[in-house]
Amino acid sequence: MFRRPVLQVLHQFVRHESEIASSLVLERSLNRVQLLGRVGQDPVMRQVEGKNPVTIFSLATNEMWRSGESEAYQMGDVSQKTTWHRISVFRPGLRDVAYQYVKKGSRIYVEGKVDYGEYTDKNNVRRQATTIIADNIIFLSDQTKEKA
């Protein structure tokens, strides 16, 4: 009884929206990543000719779980999986701070977005690369005092 009018209104709205969407602004979307882990290598700064420099380092995150039938009683073997993330920092101020203060073993929190790209390696083979483009880095272990 109530379905038919709702479907008619919805159909009119969707048709109207699709006509407007082609001539208006793109819809909003979200690409957000939050990582908490340990740095796997000291950062390197690279600069491709004609482009801004970038600071790059790796970050390890761990996932742990208990296996076995008695998980409720904290029994069973503990398993762990480590995932490595490639972090790229392009923002000028953050890029320089990351290069100077991020060190292997540092515990940091990174906010950013996921970027999927392609490149051609030295053997002329096309490869895919997943990178986290960092917008913010929070230092959780105090590595800054070692530099001072």
Side-chain angles (χ1 to χ4, degrees):
M1 171 176 141
F2 195 71
R3 272 185 154 169
R4 194 169 190 92
V6 170
L7 289 175
Q8 288 174 346
V9 169
L10 182 60
H11 179 66
Q12 289 174 350
F13 177 76
V14 169
R15 183 177 42 204
H16 180 69
E17 269 304 302
S18 64
E19 292 169 3
I20 292 174
S22 63
S23 64
L24 289 181
V25 183
L26 296 173
E27 70 182 22
R28 292 182 181 242
S29 60
L30 181 65
N31 177 353
R32 209 71 200 134
V33 175
Q34 298 174 318
L35 298 172
L36 174 64
R38 293 213 178 257
V39 177
Q41 67 184 35
D42 287 343
V44 294
M45 190 175 292
R46 294 195 179 138
Q47 183 167 6
V48 178
E49 194 172 315
K51 293 187 178 182
N52 290 330
V54 59
T55 296
I56 300 168
F57 59 92
S58 61
L59 186 72
T61 57
N62 297 314
E63 179 182 353
M64 295 172 60
W65 66 92
R66 290 195 181 276
S67 57
E69 296 181 21
S70 304
E71 290 185 42
Y73 297 105
Q74 303 294 323
M75 299 176 86
D77 295 331
V78 175
S79 298
Q80 177 175 318
K81 177 186 175 190
T82 301
T83 303
W84 288 95
H85 310 274
R86 177 186 170 100
I87 311 295
S88 296
V89 188
F90 290 96
R91 281 185 38 205
L94 187 60
R95 172 187 64 220
D96 299 334
V97 167
Y99 182 70
Q100 186 174 5
Y101 293 110
V102 169
K103 296 295 172 209
K104 180 178 180 177
S106 298
R107 190 162 186 254
I108 62 173
Y109 170 81
V110 174
E111 289 179 330
K113 66 180 180 178
V114 179
D115 181 61
Y116 301 100
E118 287 186 350
Y119 67 96
T120 304
D121 69 9
K122 60 185 175 187
N123 297 324
N124 222 15
V125 176
R126 192 177 229 171
R127 304 237 182 230
Q128 294 183 340
T130 303
T131 303
I132 306 302
I133 310 287
D135 295 331
N136 191 20
I137 297 174
I138 298 174
F139 295 87
L140 300 173
S141 58
D142 193 12
Q143 297 289 321
T144 57
K145 287 185 179 178
E146 293 178 11
K147 283 290 218 183

